[in-house]
Amino acid sequence: MSLVRRCSRTACGRPAVATLTYVYADSTAVLGPLATYAEPHCYDLCAEHSERLTAPRGWEVVRLSDGSAPSRPSGDDLEALANAVREAARPQDRAAEAGGGGKGGPGGGNETRRGHLRVLRSPDS
């Protein structure tokens, strides 16, 4: 007996990554993360078959995402990371000219610069 669950589609031997369940009363097909154990009325699908899944006419497909799976970084995330690295690599004197200043800078003394990090003081103090 294999420990890896396989796709339920005929002639497909790829490992299963998602579980498909039908809710007949609501005419809905629910595709979610791989169930913890095999259910008799559920279907395990591989990545290819889960992506290409379609439902009968008049039915709705609900795709549940796995919250524990890491999401792929977006273009904005990568751009923000690149900007942070650029700023960290900038020499201190050029950073002060660009408005990144230390004490007494544009923030009116409310921020202190330590390396590439800024410490903002609360208005109360």
Side-chain angles (χ1 to χ4, degrees):
M1 179 177 207
S2 174
L3 297 176
V4 177
R5 288 175 25 204
R6 301 287 176 190
C7 183
S8 298
R9 296 289 302 259
T10 306
C12 181
R14 290 184 288 259
V17 297
T19 298
L20 172 65
T21 307
Y22 290 105
V23 182
Y24 293 99
D26 297 331
S27 300
T28 304
V30 180
L31 183 67
L34 189 62
T36 54
Y37 56 91
E39 295 271 346
H41 300 290
C42 295
Y43 302 93
D44 295 336
L45 298 176
C46 65
E48 182 181 343
H49 285 122
S50 63
E51 288 173 10
R52 295 187 334 185
L53 175 74
T54 60
R57 187 174 297 151
W59 282 56
E60 182 181 358
V61 177
V62 175
R63 296 178 186 269
L64 303 175
S65 63
D66 183 6
S68 65
S71 62
R72 298 188 66 179
S74 71
D76 291 339
D77 294 338
L78 295 176
E79 186 175 346
L81 179 60
N83 290 337
V85 170
R86 265 189 233 111
E87 184 177 334
R90 187 183 307 167
Q92 288 294 331
D93 57 334
R94 284 185 19 206
E97 291 172 7
K103 293 182 182 176
N110 286 341
E111 76 180 42
T112 303
R113 186 157 176 85
R114 294 184 180 152
H116 65 281
L117 301 176
R118 292 188 181 115
V119 178
L120 300 177
R121 291 189 171 74
S122 67
D124 304 345
S125 58

